Amino acid sequence: MTRTADAFWLNESGNGEVRQVTLAEPGPGEVEVRTLFSGVSRGTETLVFRGGVPENQYATMRAPFQDGDFPWPVKYGYLNVGVVEHGPERLRGRTVFCLYPHQTRYVVPESAVTPVPDGVPAARAVLAGTVETAVNAVWDARPLIGDRIAVVGGGMVGSSIAAVLATFPGARVELVDADPARSAVAERLGVGFALPDQALDGCDLVFHASATEAGLTTALNLLAPEGRVVELSWYGDKRVAVPLGEFFHSKRLTIRSSQVGTVGRSDRSYAERMALALDLLADARFDALITGSSAFEELPAVMPKLADGEIPALCHRIDYGRGHVPS
């Protein structure tokens, strides 16, 4: 008898629906997970939602367990926390994180799930994928004790980086965003806040995550001589202008990219990076990044509102209740 689960699919720009999908029986080395929560990563998922993935980036932008192909129809997402209901004894009954889309139940190799530490609430663990990105960015940047650091762009990735750096020894950390409301997030994270024209300059290091030309210009303007911008913004199919004249050469500035597809340290594995991200989530300050929640059944109506900003969000959590019982 065919078993099924419910999954959220994007059909075309501005249109999503919950579909019934076939649920395979778990085989040797596989686990079946009942989803408790998933998270909408507003920046990346909005880009996918509006069909903004460039054709030459279709392969790069694929989520680990994506179904369908860009632009549509596609089942996309990568922030999922659930309970293992079938699998090896060491995992059965454990709460786990997986880079899986929005779906009530799923079957994946056991190597694809990471146990959530006992001290991390399942509802907070949906942030693991984004905190993993932040960990990688910090590894790429290699900050030093006492650095003057700015994070330009207070979205989900930028705020995650600020949270990771909030207790870095001796560092001055300031979150910079054009939205004054982000000051409340910065306060909860324990870092400074400034509007772009009021930000502290003389920075040794700036993380840029606003995905705007203006944000990148601000990031460069804040640097001290020999300073570095670590660029995390994903612009999709949008071209951006970079101000490489004026002081760029005379101050010997550097722009380097950072993205989660490659581990930022040669002595760490993907699994170790994810485990570290989950360990960091024992800190309750990360709750500031979850700015709303909705039931799974509401996702087709909620996603357009997240995409157009009607629902302002960093990470919007999707709650599954008891989840779908496969038939």
Side-chain angles (χ1 to χ4, degrees):
M1 187 173 182
T2 302
R3 304 190 320 144
T4 62
D6 293 329
F8 179 68
W9 281 74
L10 301 175
N11 293 330
E12 57 182 314
S13 182
N15 182 23
E17 67 176 356
V18 173
R19 293 186 187 178
Q20 197 171 79
V21 297
T22 300
L23 185 67
E25 292 281 355
E30 293 184 322
V31 294
E32 180 178 324
V33 179
R34 171 174 57 84
T35 303
L36 298 173
F37 304 100
S38 61
V40 178
S41 179
R42 184 169 175 262
T44 303
E45 292 195 51
T46 293
L47 188 74
V48 174
F49 185 71
R50 68 175 178 82
V53 179
E55 189 171 348
N56 63 7
Q57 293 297 304
Y58 281 1
T60 301
M61 280 289 292
R62 284 192 69 87
F65 293 100
Q66 173 180 324
D67 279 341
D69 297 308
F70 298 123
W72 310 287
V74 64
K75 184 178 75 177
Y76 194 86
Y78 47 84
L79 303 174
N80 191 298
V81 175
V83 175
V84 175
E85 295 200 329
H86 300 283
E89 186 175 352
R90 66 181 182 82
L91 289 174
R92 208 174 306 139
R94 290 293 305 271
T95 301
V96 295
F97 177 86
C98 185
L99 296 167
Y100 205 87
H102 309 284
Q103 184 166 313
T104 53
R105 288 174 181 265
Y106 53 93
V107 175
V108 293
E110 61 180 279
S111 59
V113 302
T114 303
V116 175
D118 291 339
V120 177
R124 189 188 302 154
V126 295
L127 296 168
T130 306
V131 174
E132 181 188 25
T133 300
V135 167
N136 208 61
V138 174
W139 282 349
D140 280 333
R142 291 171 168 76
L144 299 175
I145 292 175
D147 269 358
R148 295 158 294 184
I149 302 171
V151 181
V152 177
M156 194 172 170
V157 170
S159 294
S160 294
I161 293 169
V164 169
L165 291 172
T167 59
F168 197 82
R172 183 193 80 189
V173 181
E174 186 172 68
L175 184 65
V176 180
D177 197 277
D179 182 358
R182 292 286 162 84
S183 62
V185 176
E187 183 177 1
R188 291 182 63 187
L189 296 179
V191 300
F193 175 81
L195 297 172
D197 60 353
Q198 298 170 357
L200 298 171
D201 60 9
C203 292
D204 306 290
L205 174 63
V206 178
F207 295 87
H208 179 233
S210 80
T212 66
E213 287 185 11
L216 181 54
T217 300
T218 295
L220 288 166
N221 285 337
L222 294 179
L223 288 175
E226 305 283 349
R228 297 164 292 141
V229 168
V230 175
E231 175 62 274
L232 291 104
S233 297
W234 171 244
Y235 298 95
D237 56 358
K238 182 173 64 176
R239 291 182 177 272
V240 296
V242 183
L244 299 183
E246 302 177 10
F247 52 80
F248 182 79
H249 289 284
S250 62
K251 291 174 69 173
R252 296 173 56 85
L253 305 182
T254 300
I255 303 173
R256 70 149 301 165
S257 67
S258 177
Q259 55 89 35
V260 75
T262 301
V263 179
R265 291 182 55 163
S266 60
D267 59 343
R268 297 291 190 274
S269 67
Y270 286 99
E272 288 173 320
R273 187 178 65 186
M274 178 59 75
L276 174 58
L278 281 163
D279 285 341
L280 291 173
L281 284 168
D283 190 333
R285 79 179 67 224
F286 285 96
D287 285 336
L289 306 185
I290 299 175
T291 50
S293 64
S294 301
F296 171 72
E297 294 78 12
E298 299 170 334
L299 194 46
V302 166
M303 187 66 83
K305 295 177 182 179
L306 290 169
D308 66 15
E310 182 179 342
I311 299 177
L314 294 178
C315 177
H316 193 83
R317 193 185 67 224
I318 305 303
D319 301 349
Y320 288 71
R322 281 294 301 170
H324 178 85
V325 178
S327 56

